[in-house]
Amino acid sequence: VLYFLYRPQRPTFSVTSLKLSSFNLTTPSTINAKFDLTLSTTNPNDKIIFSYDPTSVSLLYGDTAVASTTIPSFLHRQRNTTVLQAYVTSTEEVVDSDAAMELKRSMKRKSQLVALKVELETKVEAQMGVFQTPRVGIKVLCDGVAVSLPDDEKPATASAENTACQVDVRFKVWKWTVG
């Protein structure tokens, strides 16, 4: 009944910009990097408000995290687009040797593009009038973000701005996680 009354839709996320201001891969496989990430999230619902817990943000090269941070909790009102900014840094982040070798190869190419993924994980609850859902986990994955390496004078900008993201809802049924 609630479904037909409220017609819930998932929020949408997209990467609106990603800037890499510094990047250093040291021997054997340690990364120091500073990223400026801007995400846009839209709540398409007329009658549903989303309440997000603090959100962990990771920048991945393949399956290896190269930088991470946390975005504070926020309230996402109905028919609203919210812009989220995060300064994602890594200091002496150790990566496995295969990822380090592949990153070094990317750095030597003429285009010097590094393909990254942006991953967000949090819990969210939906508020529909007097009804409120339990908090459920969501995972957002933005794939296909390619950023060039910075030079000494200016930061590098991602080549895949406004990249749409996939939103997976994870909820528990007894002891099993579905989603």
Side-chain angles (χ1 to χ4, degrees):
V1 173
L2 288 176
Y3 177 81
F4 292 108
L5 183 62
Y6 290 101
R7 304 225 184 258
Q9 298 175 49
R10 291 180 184 190
T12 60
F13 288 79
S14 65
V15 175
T16 53
S17 80
L18 177 64
K19 293 180 181 154
L20 175 58
S21 57
S22 70
F23 185 85
N24 186 17
L25 180 61
T26 59
T27 306
S29 54
T30 305
I31 295 177
N32 293 306
K34 292 181 184 176
F35 297 89
D36 181 5
L37 173 66
T38 305
L39 298 161
S40 176
T41 178
T42 301
N43 178 357
N45 297 288
D46 289 324
K47 301 174 184 174
I48 300 174
I49 298 172
F50 294 113
S51 176
Y52 293 87
D53 282 353
T55 304
S56 85
V57 178
S58 298
L59 293 174
L60 306 172
Y61 179 76
D63 292 328
T64 304
V66 294
S68 59
T69 193
T70 301
I71 296 175
S73 58
F74 66 99
L75 195 63
H76 200 188
R77 301 224 173 257
Q78 57 274 51
R79 291 262 175 224
N80 184 347
T81 297
T82 301
V83 175
L84 305 170
Q85 285 198 300
Y87 299 100
V88 189
T89 60
S90 67
T91 307
E92 302 297 320
E93 186 80 31
V94 177
V95 296
D96 65 62
S97 58
D98 292 338
M101 293 295 288
E102 188 60 37
L103 271 169
K104 286 177 184 175
R105 275 189 229 122
S106 294
M107 293 169 67
K108 290 178 183 176
R109 287 189 202 119
K110 196 167 205 157
S111 65
Q112 288 192 337
L113 286 177
V114 176
L116 298 174
K117 298 177 197 171
V118 178
E119 181 181 82
L120 293 91
E121 285 195 59
T122 189
K123 290 193 176 211
V124 63
E125 80 180 5
Q127 301 168 1
M128 301 163 278
V130 296
F131 300 106
Q132 191 169 316
T133 67
R135 293 199 180 277
V136 295
I138 67 166
K139 186 175 184 178
V140 178
L141 183 64
C142 311
D143 202 354
V145 179
V147 66
S148 58
L149 298 174
D151 60 24
D152 292 335
E153 290 123 33
K154 62 180 181 173
T157 304
S159 62
E161 294 177 352
N162 294 318
T163 301
C165 305
Q166 177 183 337
V167 179
D168 290 326
V169 178
R170 303 161 111 49
F171 57 93
K172 284 194 174 192
V173 179
W174 288 299
K175 295 181 183 179
W176 299 283
T177 301
V178 180

